[in-house]
Amino acid sequence: MAIQNALELASKRLDELSKLSTLKSGKSGIMQTLSEHGFSRRDFMKWAGAMTAFMALPASMTPMVARAAELADRLPVIWLHMAECTGCSESLLRTDAPSIDSLIFDYISLEYHETIMAAAGWQAEHNLEHAIEEYKGRYILLVEGGIPTGESEYYLTVGPHGTSGKTHAVKASENAAAIFAIGTCSSFGGIQAAAPNPSNSVGLSKITSKPVINVPGCPPSEKNIVGNVLNFLLFGTLPALDIFNRPKWAYGLRIHDLCERRGRFDAGEFVQHFGDEGAKQGYCLYKVGCKGPYTFNNCSRERFNQHTSWPVQAGHGCIGCSEPDFWDTMGPFEEPMADRLYDTVLGLGADSVSDKVGIGVLALTGIGIAAHAAIASTRKNEE
Amino acid sequence: MSGKRIVIDPITRIEGHLRIEVVVDDNNVVQEAYSASTLWRGIEQVVKNRDPRDAGFFTQRVCGVCTFSHYKAGIIAVENALGIKPPLNANLTRTLMNSALFLHDHIVHFYQLHGLDWADITSALKADPKKASEEAFKWCDYPLVAGEDKLKEVQAKVAEFAAKGNLGPFANAYWGHSSYKFTPEQNLIVLSHYLECLRIQRIAAQLMAIFGAKQPHPQSLTVGGVTCVMDLLDPSRLGEYMSKLAEIREFVNRAYYPDVLMAAAMYKDEPSVLGDIGVSNLYTFKEFQIGKNEWLFDSGIIMDGDISKVLPVDAELITEEATHAWYADDEPLKPYDGKTNPHYTGLVDGESIGSDGEMVHTKVLNTSGKYTWIKAPRYGGKPLQVGPLANIVVNYALGNKYVVPVVDEFLSRTGLPLSAVFSTLGRTAARMLEAKIVADNTMLAFNALVENLKVDQETCAKYEIDNDKEYKGYYMGHVPRGALSHWCRIKDGVISNWQAVVPSTWNASPKDAIGQMGAYEACLIGTKLSDVTKPLEIIRKIHSYDPCIACAVHVMDAKGAKLGEYKLDASLV
C-alpha cells in the first residue's frame, strides 16, 4: 500500500511539474542533450534505475525517476555561501560519474552560486534579487555554511550594501519551494559552532521558520547532494526524515551496518595502531577510533568521488561528520568511544537519530559494541 | 568629479567572502585600493584544548579548496612538536596526494575561476570552428579537444544554451568588455577546454581519493604517517594513480600550457595585465619530497624584485599587525605572541558607482579605521607576495634544475623577457608552469615510493604523548596559493595554542600602520578602467592570485613562546 501511495504521489507531482513552463525555450529536454552526447535512451533508463536503487526506492519507480530528470530544467536553484570553507561546493562540482550527473546539474538552472557564477559585485547581487523575485515559490534554495547570529550577525556580510549573511538566508528562504541545508555547517552549525562558538554560528533551521532538509556531512558526498534534488522533483514534498531532518534514504543506516570491514568486527579482528599488521590485512578500525557504529550515512555503500574510496577503505576510521555537534562529541577521533562510554554514548546526538532505534536501545548497542571490542580484543589480539 | 568609489562585493569565483573597493580619478585610473574579507569564523578559538591528534581535522576545515594543505600542515606541526619522523613511504605518499591537490587547484583556477576573465564565451559563438581548430595547432602540436568537429559540437551546445535566454551561472557578466583580447576562434578553444576541465578536475579529485579516501577533505593522514597502507600495497591502486596522473598531465601540456601561451601572445599589449607586480618581495618555502633527500622546490626570499640575490627564510622576522583589521590589538606581534580578539566596527554609509554608472547610496569600508578580518603580516616590516609567481621566480633565481629549463622554454616561446613575469599575466603563467613542473615530475616520487615499498612497508611511526611535557612545533611549506606555516604548542596533552600564517593573508593584507599595502591592493593602483560599471580589469588582477579567503581570516590564536626559539631544520619540513 505504501508503495502504491508513493507512486500516486510522485505521479501527481510530475503531472504538476510538467504543466509548468520550461525555463528554457525550445527542445531542451534532457534526452536531447543526452543524445547529443552519445547517450541513448537505454543508457538514460539504466542510470535512472541506478538512481532509483540509490535512493532506496522500489524498482517500479524507475520510469518516474527518469521522468523527474527530464523535467529537471524547470527548477531554478539558488545556492548561498555562509560561514563555510567551500568544501560542499567543491563536492557538488565532483558530481559526474556516470557523467550524466553533471547534465542534471546543467539542467537545473543555477541562478546564483558564488564559486561558479561569472558575474561579480552589483551584477551578482542583481542575479540573486532577480531570481528570488522572478521564480518566487519555485526555486530550490541550497545553503552552505553556518550562520553567525546575535551580536556577531555582521561577522558575515555579502554584497555592496553590507547585508548580513543571516538577512540573505532569511530572505531567500521565505519563498523557496524547498530548502536544503547542504553540509554539517548549515545543518547544525558545523566547525565554527564547536565550543566555544566564537561567532555564534547556528544551522539554517534555527533562523527560518520554513522547513529545512538537512544534508549533513563534511562535506556530504556528491551523490547525497544530487540525490536530494531528485527526491524533491519526484515527490514535491519533503522526503521521509529522521529526527534531525535528514532524509532517511541517505541517512537511514549506520556506517557500521554496511561497512566492508564489518566481518572483521564480528570476528573480533581489530587494528591496534595505524600501520600494524592488522592495518595491512584490513582489520576493523573501531579501536583506532572509528565512529561508524554511531554515525548515520551511506558512505559505506556509496563512497566518494565516483566510488573511488572512503575513509574506512583508506584505513582511517569514520569521524562521524554527519552527526550534529560531532566536533564536540566524537573526539578524540582516533580513540574508541568505549573509553568514554557513559558520558558520550548516552549524551550523543546520534543515539536518538533513527525512530527505529530508541535512545536506550542504541545506548545498549553502544555498550554492546564496546564490550564486543573489549572481549574480542583480549581474545584475538594476544598473539 | 574626482575620487569616485567603486565597490565590488561579492568577488565571485573564489573561495570565501572578499570585497574590493577602489577610488578612481576623472580618467578612471585607480588611485586607492582596499581589500577586505567580510567573514570571521574563529576557528583559532575552537581548536584550543583539543587532542593534538585531532588538530589536522580541525585545521583542514579552514578550507575546502586547499583541502589537503591545512590537513597536512596540522599533522606535520604536531609531528614536529612531538619529534616524530614519519617513514619515507608516508612522506612520499603525502607528496602524491599533494600533487593531486596542486593539479586540481591550478586547472580549476585557470578555467573555472579565472578563465572567464580572459575568454569571452559569448564571442565564441561567432567563431569559425575550422579556423579555430587551425588556430589551436599554432599553440600546440597535439591540442586536446580542439578538432573542428569537437569545436563545432561545443559551439552548438553553447549556442543552444544561450538561445534559451537564460544563461544561468553565466548571466550578467562582463561579456563584450573591451579588454577581452582573444579572437572568437581563440575564445572557442578556451571554452572547449573549460568544459573538458570540468571532467578532468573530477579525475584530479579521484587522484587524491585513491590514497586519501575522498576529496574534498581527505582522511588518511595521521600523526606519524598515513593510514592507506592497503591501497599502497595494492598494485591496481598504484596503477590507477599512474594512469589518472597521466591523463591530467596530458591536459596540462596539451590544453593549459598552449592556452596560456596564446594568452601571453594576445594580451602582451593589454596594459591592465602587465607591469603590476604590486609587491616585489617574494617568499616561498621548500615542498614536494620526491626522494629520500630530494625536494622539487626550494625555499627563499627575494627583496625588491632583485633576482640576483636569494635570501634564506628567517622566520624570526615575521610579524602580524591589526591597525586596519577588526581585532582589538593593533601592534605588530610575532606569530607566537599573536592575539585574535575580534573587535568589529563594521562598514559605514557612503556612495559608490552603481551598475548603471550613477552614484548610489551604499555601505563602504571605513578605510581610515579597521576594514577587514585579515591581519597585515610583514617580514622585517615589509609586505611579501607569495604564490606560484614567488615560487617560480625564487626557484629560477636559485637555479633549480626542475624549474629553469621550463621557464626558459616558456620565455623563448612567448618572446617575453623575464621581467614580464612580474605582472598579472606572469602570475597566471607562473601558476601554469608550476602545474606543469608538478605534473611532469610527480612520477619521481611515485617511482621512489614503489622502489622503497620493495624493501620497507612502514607507513606510520609509533609515538607517545607525555601529558607532563610541553611541546612546540611547526610546519612550513608551499601550497597552491603560496607559502604556508602552522605553529603549535601542546601542554597537558592538549593543544594550548595554534598559529597559522597563510598565503592569502600575505597577499590580501590590508594596509599596515605606516600605510604599506599588501599585494592585492598594490597591484590595483594605477589601473585604468575602460568601463567603471564593469571593472573587469580589477577582477582579473585579483583572480590572478587565486584568492582563498577562508584561511586568510586570521586562523589561529597563540600566546607565549617566541618564534625565535625554534630552529628551522629544513629536513623536518
Side-chain angles (χ1 to χ4, degrees):
Chain A
M1 267 331 270
I3 289 174
Q4 199 51 42
N5 285 344
L7 283 169
E8 275 167 24
L9 194 61
S11 178
K12 197 167 148 236
R13 167 68 183 159
L14 293 174
D15 287 343
E16 280 167 15
L17 274 175
S18 61
K19 280 180 208 146
L20 291 174
S21 63
T22 172
L23 291 179
K24 295 157 186 169
S25 63
K27 43 184 176 49
S28 61
I30 195 166
M31 270 318 301
Q32 169 85 11
T33 311
L34 289 174
S35 59
E36 280 164 13
H37 286 78
F39 291 99
S40 66
R41 179 85 201 166
R42 207 174 143 181
D43 293 333
F44 178 63
M45 292 309 292
K46 228 191 279 172
W47 170 84
M51 282 308 289
T52 308
F54 170 68
M55 292 193 296
L57 296 171
S60 57
M61 294 200 69
T62 299
M64 287 198 189
V65 172
R67 200 168 153 219
E70 287 183 278
L71 291 170
D73 74 329
R74 266 77 166 170
L75 209 61
V77 169
I78 294 171
W79 180 298
L80 295 182
H81 287 80
M82 298 286 127
E84 44 79 27
C85 75
T86 313
C88 298
S89 285
E90 289 280 333
S91 187
L92 172 72
L93 286 180
R94 307 293 179 270
T95 180
D96 202 43
S99 60
I100 53 177
D101 275 7
S102 91
L103 290 174
I104 299 298
F105 173 54
D106 285 343
Y107 261 69
I108 60 177
S109 187
L110 192 58
E111 299 294 318
Y112 187 89
H113 189 300
E114 287 173 24
T115 321
I116 299 167
M117 66 194 298
W122 287 104
Q123 286 82 358
E125 180 95 339
H126 172 79
N127 285 5
L128 179 59
E129 287 166 2
H130 173 265
I132 289 176
E133 195 51 42
E134 180 80 16
Y135 306 117
K136 206 169 180 172
R138 290 173 56 198
Y139 60 85
I140 291 195
L141 174 67
L142 298 103
V143 176
E144 173 179 9
I147 296 149
T149 60
E151 282 184 13
S152 33
E153 178 178 336
Y154 286 89
Y155 282 14
L156 167 62
T157 63
V158 183
H161 296 293
T163 314
S164 74
K166 184 184 166 192
T167 302
H168 265 292
V170 168
K171 193 175 169 210
S173 298
E174 276 163 15
N175 290 301
I179 304 172
F180 295 95
I182 302 294
T184 299
C185 293
S186 66
S187 295
F188 309 121
I191 186 167
Q192 50 274 315
N197 192 358
S199 60
N200 295 309
S201 286
V202 298
L204 182 64
S205 61
K206 293 273 173 24
I207 60 144
T208 174
S209 53
K210 304 284 170 184
V212 174
I213 301 167
N214 291 328
V215 186
C218 190
S221 71
E222 68 275 11
K223 293 276 181 191
N224 283 1
I225 298 173
V226 174
N228 271 302
V229 173
L230 270 170
N231 194 99
F232 172 76
L233 275 160
L234 267 171
F235 296 103
T237 56
L238 305 186
L241 303 174
D242 70 9
I243 66 158
F244 294 118
N245 286 345
R246 299 176 297 195
K248 283 186 185 171
W249 67 263
Y251 300 89
L253 291 174
R254 279 167 300 202
I255 299 274
H256 192 56
D257 295 335
L258 292 175
C259 179
E260 65 207 33
R261 299 190 190 219
R262 179 60 185 263
R264 299 297 198 171
F265 175 88
D266 291 341
E269 294 167 338
F270 294 96
V271 173
Q272 302 293 322
H273 58 83
F274 294 118
D276 69 7
E277 275 309 306
K280 287 178 194 164
Q281 301 299 323
Y283 284 11
C284 173
L285 298 162
Y286 181 79
K287 296 186 77 180
V288 285
C290 183
K291 304 303 184 291
Y294 315 102
T295 305
F296 290 77
N297 206 333
N298 55 3
C299 310
S300 40
R301 187 164 55 141
E302 289 303 324
R303 310 182 188 190
F304 291 81
N305 302 103
Q306 295 80 49
H307 316 291
T308 303
S309 190
W310 67 297
V312 166
Q313 180 172 350
H316 196 288
C318 164
I319 63 171
C321 75
S322 50
E323 295 307 311
D325 305 324
F326 84 95
W327 290 107
D328 290 332
T329 57
M330 295 284 189
F333 296 123
E334 296 178 354
E335 291 280 341
M337 284 292 198
D339 289 2
R340 310 183 298 130
L341 192 61
Y342 293 97
D343 59 344
T344 57
V345 172
L346 290 174
L348 193 69
D351 305 348
S352 48
V353 162
S354 170
D355 42 22
K356 279 181 278 181
V357 184
I359 287 177
V361 176
L362 189 60
L364 283 177
T365 312
I367 293 164
I369 286 164
H372 178 103
I375 294 163
S377 161
T378 45
R379 208 177 53 217
K380 283 278 180 182
N381 292 300
E382 279 174 351
E383 69 266 34
Chain B
M1 193 182 110
S2 65
K4 284 184 183 169
R5 187 175 291 259
I6 302 173
V7 172
I8 313 171
D9 184 355
I11 298 281
T12 50
R13 285 180 282 131
I14 63 164
E15 193 294 323
H17 298 272
L18 178 66
R19 178 186 185 100
I20 297 289
E21 291 187 11
V22 299
V23 177
V24 295
D25 66 9
D26 289 339
N27 297 315
N28 296 336
V29 174
V30 175
Q31 306 296 308
E32 296 170 39
Y34 302 94
S35 157
S37 163
T38 60
L39 166 67
W40 189 66
R41 299 201 290 156
I43 295 175
E44 58 270 29
Q45 296 179 18
V46 170
V47 78
K48 276 192 181 179
N49 300 315
R50 309 268 175 181
D51 190 307
R53 293 167 298 175
D54 289 354
F57 297 101
F58 282 85
T59 57
Q60 177 174 35
R61 267 64 184 192
V62 159
C63 184
V65 178
C66 323
T67 175
F68 182 68
S69 306
H70 292 285
Y71 184 27
K72 184 177 73 140
I75 296 277
I76 291 180
V78 172
E79 284 170 352
N80 182 254
L82 299 176
I84 301 164
K85 290 205 175 201
L88 181 60
N89 291 331
N91 286 338
L92 293 171
T93 304
R94 290 172 181 184
T95 297
L96 298 186
M97 293 169 70
N98 207 18
S99 293
L101 177 78
F102 267 71
L103 294 171
H104 187 276
D105 257 25
H106 286 354
I107 60 174
V108 167
H109 175 258
F110 184 69
Y111 289 100
Q112 272 70 49
L113 306 182
H114 197 22
L116 305 181
D117 305 331
W118 302 93
D120 181 341
I121 60 166
T122 59
S123 149
L125 297 176
K126 292 178 276 186
D128 175 343
K130 184 165 188 291
K131 279 193 196 151
S133 181
E134 288 161 10
E135 175 75 19
F137 278 90
K138 281 188 202 161
W139 307 103
C140 181
D141 292 341
Y142 304 100
L144 265 191
V145 290
E148 185 184 344
D149 287 352
K150 180 67 194 176
L151 294 176
K152 254 188 198 162
E153 183 193 322
V154 166
Q155 195 180 39
K157 179 178 174 152
V158 176
E160 192 198 342
F161 185 69
K164 288 168 189 160
N166 184 347
L167 286 177
F170 302 110
N172 220 4
Y174 304 140
W175 309 130
H177 193 278
S178 65
S179 75
Y180 279 123
K181 297 298 174 192
F182 282 150
T183 65
E185 282 71 26
Q186 291 170 332
N187 282 315
L188 182 56
I189 295 166
V190 177
L191 181 57
S192 179
H193 292 159
Y194 178 101
L195 297 173
E196 176 71 355
C197 187
L198 284 174
R199 187 179 75 80
I200 295 291
Q201 61 95 21
R202 277 190 297 275
I203 295 169
Q206 291 165 355
L207 193 69
M208 170 77 81
I210 291 168
F211 301 123
K214 60 197 181 90
Q215 207 273 36
H217 296 332
Q219 194 165 313
S220 65
L221 300 190
T222 184
V223 172
V226 296
T227 67
C228 52
V229 59
M230 287 181 84
D231 296 302
L232 290 172
L233 297 177
D234 179 342
S236 76
R237 282 305 244 186
L238 294 167
E240 265 183 73
Y241 187 94
M242 208 162 59
S243 60
K244 287 183 198 297
L245 174 69
E247 190 168 2
I248 299 159
R249 185 183 172 193
E250 289 288 289
F251 182 81
V252 169
N253 284 311
R254 292 166 54 196
Y256 191 6
Y257 191 104
D259 286 351
V260 173
L261 269 187
M262 191 165 82
M266 300 307 289
Y267 277 82
K268 67 181 169 192
D269 298 321
E270 168 55 40
S272 69
V273 301
L274 295 167
D276 60 355
I277 179 65
V279 169
S280 59
N281 309 318
L282 310 175
Y283 158 42
T284 194
F285 211 87
K286 176 161 135 173
E287 192 66 79
F288 284 104
Q289 185 169 355
I290 51 175
K292 226 171 217 165
N293 292 303
E294 203 187 353
W295 278 259
L296 203 50
F297 299 119
D298 294 314
S299 315
I301 289 200
I302 285 176
M303 296 305 281
D304 302 317
D306 178 8
I307 62 165
S308 69
K309 214 163 45 189
V310 178
L311 307 166
V313 178
D314 181 357
E316 179 80 11
L317 297 178
I318 298 173
T319 58
E320 292 190 290
E321 60 128 286
T323 307
H324 289 289
W326 285 310
Y327 301 97
D329 306 278
D330 291 352
E331 71 276 25
L333 295 169
K334 290 183 179 177
Y336 268 86
D337 302 320
K339 296 173 186 169
T340 312
N341 301 311
H343 177 54
Y344 186 65
T345 51
L347 307 178
V348 295
D349 289 316
E351 289 206 313
S352 104
I353 300 175
S355 56
D356 55 2
E358 298 298 315
M359 296 305 288
V360 291
H361 176 79
T362 183
K363 293 281 183 186
V364 298
L365 300 172
N366 176 16
T367 52
S368 61
K370 294 178 182 290
Y371 64 85
T372 176
W373 286 111
I374 292 176
K375 287 188 184 179
R378 294 294 181 263
Y379 183 81
K382 301 238 168 107
L384 300 178
Q385 178 176 172
V386 299
L389 170 64
N391 189 44
I392 294 298
V393 171
V394 167
N395 276 281
Y396 185 82
L398 286 170
N400 181 317
K401 69 177 174 182
Y402 299 106
V403 174
V404 172
V406 176
V407 173
D408 283 342
E409 191 192 344
F410 182 78
L411 292 175
S412 96
R413 288 181 73 174
T414 56
L416 290 169
L418 182 61
S419 60
V421 170
F422 293 87
S423 65
T424 293
L425 185 60
R427 265 187 293 280
T428 302
R431 183 170 285 101
M432 180 278 291
L433 294 175
E434 187 173 274
K436 177 178 169 54
I437 293 163
V438 169
D440 289 350
N441 293 292
T442 292
M443 282 306 287
L444 293 174
F446 181 91
N447 291 334
L449 175 64
V450 170
E451 276 308 304
N452 197 58
L453 283 172
K454 290 176 187 170
V455 294
D456 161 23
Q457 298 187 349
E458 287 303 310
T459 50
C460 201
K462 280 192 184 173
Y463 63 93
E464 275 180 10
I465 301 177
D466 183 345
N467 288 356
D468 296 329
K469 267 178 80 177
E470 281 190 55
Y471 302 95
K472 52 196 174 182
Y474 63 88
Y475 160 86
M476 290 184 90
H478 171 70
V479 299
R481 282 159 197 81
L484 170 70
S485 61
H486 277 241
W487 309 80
C488 77
R489 289 171 66 80
I490 299 164
K491 198 181 167 188
D492 301 328
V494 296
I495 293 160
S496 59
N497 55 47
W498 198 287
Q499 171 83 13
V501 182
V502 311
S504 292
T505 316
W506 288 103
N507 289 339
S509 154
K511 289 169 188 63
D512 57 27
I514 56 169
Q516 293 182 106
M517 291 178 275
Y520 290 4
E521 292 184 349
C523 82
L524 294 176
I525 303 297
T527 306
K528 184 173 169 55
L529 303 182
S530 49
D531 178 349
V532 287
T533 68
K534 294 178 175 175
L536 176 59
E537 294 92 342
I538 291 176
I539 304 267
R540 190 187 285 128
K541 285 189 180 197
I542 296 299
H543 279 164
S544 74
Y545 291 91
D546 197 0
C548 203
I549 302 303
C551 68
V553 182
H554 201 71
V555 193
M556 304 294 169
D557 182 31
K559 292 172 188 166
K562 286 181 185 165
L563 192 59
E565 290 174 23
Y566 297 90
K567 281 185 187 156
L568 294 183
D569 177 353
S571 71
L572 281 174
V573 182

